[in-house]
Amino acid sequence: MKIKQLALMVGITGAAFLGMGMKVSADEVTHTVKSGETLSGISAKYFGDYTRYIEIANSNNIKNADLIFVGDTLKIDTTTGEIVDATAEEAAIEATTPATETTESTTTTTTQATDGSVESIVRAAASAYGWDSGANWEAIHFIIQHESSWNPNAQNPTSTAYGLFQMLVETSSDPAVQAANGMAYIASRYGTPVNAMDFWQANNWY
């Protein structure tokens, strides 16, 4: 569903709009939201950290951090941050999105390579559980690859399953939120990602 002039909280698309060639410091800056931008992407631009989007939302009285509008003016306190250059990998994202929509198994996904920025967000969430390396990280990588091909917008056409982990009750398109929800689900249901992957391999779902 396309919403005119609406900037959805989609980490992959937002990363393509990180500032190019800027490296300035200021106490507060004004940012006008452009088409395709996200709070997590804007957070990365000004702080070098995707996870500080909540601070931006709170300081601008944005009640739904998953929803920002083109033309909105945001005040961003950069006292503790610095505007950073986009990496070559992040800049390349713009050239690869949007991608062709395809259907694999029961999940509608976007044909794309694993995006480094999305993977780093998921790894950060995994680190809170000690799962950001070794067999547990490989298991998380396996699950996301098979569930969504690392597409935060992957939608199952026959159910409400959505996002990186294809959560039935996932309502956010922000990969940071999806990663946190996915880790919590795996921990509560399976204990570890390895157990979750074992179940997936035996049942083709988890």
Side-chain angles (χ1 to χ4, degrees), residues 30-156:
T30 299
H31 181 92
T32 301
V33 177
K34 302 177 183 65
S35 177
E37 284 191 309
T38 70
L39 281 187
S40 60
I42 293 170
S43 172
K45 172 180 177 178
Y46 290 101
F47 299 110
D49 182 349
Y50 287 93
T51 65
R52 295 181 65 175
Y53 67 92
I54 292 296
E55 294 178 33
I56 299 175
N58 290 340
S59 63
N60 288 275
N61 297 315
I62 298 174
K63 294 182 179 180
N64 185 352
D66 292 340
L67 197 63
I68 56 176
F69 295 88
V70 173
D72 280 355
T73 299
L74 305 177
K75 297 290 185 181
I76 302 174
D77 183 357
T78 60
T79 303
T80 59
E82 182 179 45
I83 301 176
V84 297
D85 292 332
T87 64
E89 182 178 31
E90 289 166 339
I93 297 169
E94 184 173 10
T96 61
T97 56
T100 304
E101 188 173 273
T102 60
T103 300
E104 297 180 7
S105 185
T106 59
T107 304
T108 301
T109 63
T110 302
T111 301
Q112 60 185 38
T114 300
D115 176 60
S117 61
V118 174
E119 185 172 333
S120 68
I121 290 171
V122 174
R123 191 185 289 270
S127 69
Y129 295 79
W131 297 340
D132 55 328
S133 63
N136 279 318
W137 172 246
E138 291 175 5
I140 290 170
H141 199 284
F142 172 92
I143 289 170
I144 296 177
Q145 183 64 40
H146 286 77
E147 288 291 320
S148 65
S149 296
W150 293 86
N151 176 14
N153 290 315
Q155 174 69 63
N156 189 308

Side-chain angles (χ1 to χ4, degrees), residues 154-173:
Q155 174 69 63
N156 189 308
T158 61
S159 75
T160 60
Y162 177 77
L164 295 171
F165 291 86
Q166 289 294 284
M167 302 285 286
L168 292 174
V169 294
E170 183 63 75
T171 59
S172 175
S173 56

Side-chain angles (χ1 to χ4, degrees), residues 177-196:
V177 175
Q178 292 180 12
N181 292 342
M183 300 305 159
Y185 170 76
I186 289 172
S188 64
R189 185 177 177 90
Y190 298 102
T192 69
V194 170
N195 291 341

